[in-house]
Amino acid sequence: MSALKFVLRHTPPSAVDVSGLRPALLAGKSRKEITKLPLTGWNEIHRVGDLFSIRGDDAQRVVVDGADERLLRIGAGMEGGELTVVGTAGDYLGESMRSGTIVVRGDVGTFVGAGMRGGRIDVSGNAGAFAGSGRAGTLQGMAGGAIVVRGNAGDRAGDRMRRGLLLIEGNAGDYCASRMLAGTAVVLGRVGIDAGYLMRRGTLILGRSPAELLPTFNHNGWHDLLAIRLLLESLTVHGKRFQSFARSRPSLSRWLGDLGCDGKGEILIALGRL
Amino acid sequence: MRARAASRGARVPGTIVMKVAGELDGVPVEDTFAEAFGMRATRLVITGETRAWARHAAVAATGFATSVIACGCEAGIERELSVRETPDGRPGISILIFAMSSKDLQKHLERRTGQCVLTCPTTAAFNGVPNEVAHEWLQLGGALRYFGDGWQISKLIGGKRYWRIPVMDGEFVCEEKAGLVKGIGGGNFLILAADGASARSAAERAVAAMRKVRNVILPFPGGVVRSGSKVGSKYKTLIASTNDAYCPTLVGLTRSALPEGAGAVLEIVIDGLDAGSIAKAMDVGIRAACRGGTGAGVVGITAGNYGGKLGPHHFHLKELFA
């Protein structure tokens, strides 16, 4: 059996919710049935066959080829299986997913992995704002699983994050880990202004020192903590850059805050000059 | 001498004749069995910056845990772990703790980890029971976290939840839960020797060999018991008392089980996570004890049982010759 492949025929006229193209919903369906599945667009319903040509038959391995940023909610609600996206994915990729793997060979839009509870998302390119956060209005961001962004992430990465791993190899925008409730975010590159803004608990590890930190974070000292050693070691499965970062046993400067709220969060800065 | 006493009309208690199952290096092994019973057990992996600190914690955590009769639990060091075998890559010691119920085990796990590992510089405590064999789960860090007085931090790492409790040398890291398995306590055998020195020497050989077996502990001091017990007592408050049949100083007063030439007896008690490991430990222990034969002063091997009424696990010594 070969992977079930959806090749985009043409750019849709407007945004389309393609969350229906996930393994659990496609399993057991014939290609003819899949062709007729509805995809909700902006004031119109598309049929899968209108937008995609279909190849292969293994619904546990789905490929969306030639993805466009108008394809929203790819893999949203996924509960297992593998989904590979080739191209630029739209917003809300992997929203509320519970398990399975999404691999994106390209960039993704905003709110990648919003509210996800399990599984893994690996983005080879860049991610938009609010990676690993929650939908607007929700009280919690991602609550499990792992998001790995090989490129850069936009502003508010990890906003209201509750649990899980948000790993960014490149840079992150402003307000990284804002309103973080718990969990772990790692940015190997630089972060924008006000990282950890209103962070209540959780861990933000920065590979490079930010220009400045919020005044509501207090310096806690330089510690070689066993829990952080364990945490860094656990990141080695997420690629060579995290592996080399962990194996370098970085000396970490620990800052506690945000004292503007609960104040039990920690920012650990490697090569810190603060 | 006994015949002479009898001729004077003294009460003669008689002796228990040993039925021999076979011989190891010329040492007769009685055709009997060790009777063991079900317990609840867990394994804790204790690590430290150095092996010395891990060992300090492990020794303390397994102290005063020889018998559930008075200690509440039985505990011992299973083995030393290399840096490649521990979750945090530091030197470690694995210990096993046994109790009669899940509730007792929870209580003693919490107390011993809290008082002996949490208190020991640099140490950390990890669950040592694989998920696939855990029968149920005990609270480890989940119970100790409150020592952090609100400053404790929970961290999910690699699918496992850990607690980071602030202490004066940094943080005490502890896995949230420890697995419980249905273990077995009370595997045993007795070394019947000509004198105390021969008995101790044979017991030391046996213990050295048995320490290499995984999944078992020998909870008594040095792995050896001199105060073997029988169920009950003439005193109503005692549930166990000295095993008079094997006390050399009571020969002539009680119905002795000591064969001719036996002047000292030492027992080795084994608790294990499974029957196979206990059987293996008994096998290597008895063979080591018999090494040197009767020339080394060992005059017999037997095992303790209660007629099969106490526990469902019977380890027959004749299996040594199977």
Side-chain angles (χ1 to χ4, degrees), chain B residues 208-255:
Chain B
M210 296 166 81
R211 295 261 193 238
K212 294 173 185 165
V213 180
R214 295 188 182 183
N215 302 328
V216 299
I217 56 162
L218 313 176
F220 284 92
V224 184
V225 198
R226 69 170 180 179
S227 58
S229 59
K230 66 175 182 294
V231 174
S233 162
K234 66 181 279 188
Y235 304 107
K236 288 179 182 173
T237 53
L238 289 185
I239 58 170
S241 62
T242 192
N243 194 352
D244 52 75
Y246 289 99
C247 291
T249 54
L250 296 180
V251 170
L253 291 177
T254 188
R255 192 160 181 259

Side-chain angles (χ1 to χ4, degrees), chain B:
Chain B
M1 294 296 286
R2 287 178 191 168
R4 186 175 168 191
S7 68
R8 288 182 179 176
R11 183 174 63 84
V12 180
T15 55
I16 301 165
V17 179
M18 178 191 278
K19 183 186 170 191
V20 177
E23 290 186 354
L24 286 174
D25 289 347
V27 177
V29 176
E30 188 171 7
D31 185 7
T32 185
F33 61 93
E35 189 172 352
F37 42 87
M39 295 184 86
R40 297 292 183 267
T42 189
R43 179 192 280 122
L44 203 62
V45 172
I46 299 169
T47 64
E49 278 303 306
T50 64
R51 187 168 300 285
W53 282 117
R55 177 166 278 281
H56 285 316
V59 168
T62 55
F64 185 59
T66 54
S67 169
V68 287
I69 293 173
C71 305
C73 73
E74 297 178 8
I77 290 175
E78 182 191 19
R79 67 189 184 99
E80 295 195 350
L81 302 171
S82 72
V83 293
R84 281 187 291 277
E85 294 176 290
T86 57
D88 59 4
R90 304 190 301 170
I93 309 277
S94 73
I95 66 169
L96 303 180
I97 305 175
F98 294 77
M100 294 308 291
S101 67
S102 303
K103 191 178 170 187
D104 279 350
L105 188 58
Q106 173 65 62
K107 181 172 76 179
H108 287 282
L109 175 69
E110 188 179 327
R111 283 183 181 177
R112 286 169 182 274
T113 313
Q115 297 303 312
C116 307
V117 187
L118 166 66
T119 55
C120 183
T122 78
T123 58
F126 301 91
N127 166 44
V129 177
N131 284 1
E132 57 273 20
V133 297
H135 182 68
E136 55 187 276
W137 292 96
L138 302 162
Q139 290 293 326
L140 182 61
L144 299 173
R145 62 184 162 132
Y146 300 105
F147 182 73
D149 199 24
W151 303 107
Q152 67 271 24
I153 298 171
S154 155
K155 206 80 210 158
L156 198 61
I157 301 172
K160 292 180 180 174
R161 183 168 297 288
Y162 295 88
W163 283 96
R164 301 164 57 188
I165 302 171
V167 286
M168 296 194 297
D169 77 345
E171 283 181 340
F172 172 58
V173 175
C174 189
E175 207 166 321
E176 181 173 61
K177 291 177 179 173
L180 176 148
V181 295
K182 290 183 176 179
I184 298 168
N188 70 82
F189 64 89
L190 282 72
I191 301 166
L192 315 178
D195 50 43
S198 303
R200 289 190 296 277
S201 181
E204 287 169 12
R205 286 197 301 275
V207 168
M210 296 166 81
R211 295 261 193 238
K212 294 173 185 165
V213 180
R214 295 188 182 183
N215 302 328
V216 299
I217 56 162
L218 313 176
F220 284 92
V224 184
V225 198
R226 69 170 180 179
S227 58
S229 59
K230 66 175 182 294
V231 174
S233 162
K234 66 181 279 188
Y235 304 107
K236 288 179 182 173
T237 53
L238 289 185
I239 58 170
S241 62
T242 192
N243 194 352
D244 52 75
Y246 289 99
C247 291
T249 54
L250 296 180
V251 170
L253 291 177
T254 188
R255 192 160 181 259
S256 180
L258 293 179
E260 196 67 35
V265 179
L266 290 176
E267 182 178 355
I268 295 181
V269 173
I270 308 116
D271 294 339
L273 299 184
D274 58 82
S277 300
I278 291 179
K280 186 179 177 187
M282 286 178 64
D283 187 289
V284 299
I286 291 171
R287 289 180 196 282
C290 293
R291 201 175 303 131
T294 51
V298 181
V299 300
I301 296 291
T302 187
N305 64 65
Y306 309 91
K309 296 174 186 170
L310 185 72
H313 304 282
H314 300 164
F315 298 93
H316 290 266
L317 299 190
K318 64 184 176 189
E319 294 296 321
L320 288 163
F321 307 102

Side-chain angles (χ1 to χ4, degrees), chain A residues 183-184 203 227 229-230 264 266, chain B residues 49 87 90 124 150 155 157 164:
Chain A
T184 302
T203 304
R229 269 194 255 166
L230 281 170
K264 291 180 186 169
E266 60 182 349
Chain B
E49 278 303 306
R90 304 190 301 170
K155 206 80 210 158
I157 301 172
R164 301 164 57 188

Side-chain angles (χ1 to χ4, degrees), chain A residues 30-49:
Chain A
S30 67
R31 196 178 292 182
K32 197 173 177 183
E33 288 172 314
I34 292 172
T35 307
K36 292 178 181 174
L37 286 175
L39 298 173
T40 307
W42 187 258
N43 271 346
E44 59 185 327
I45 302 291
H46 303 277
R47 298 291 160 190
V48 171

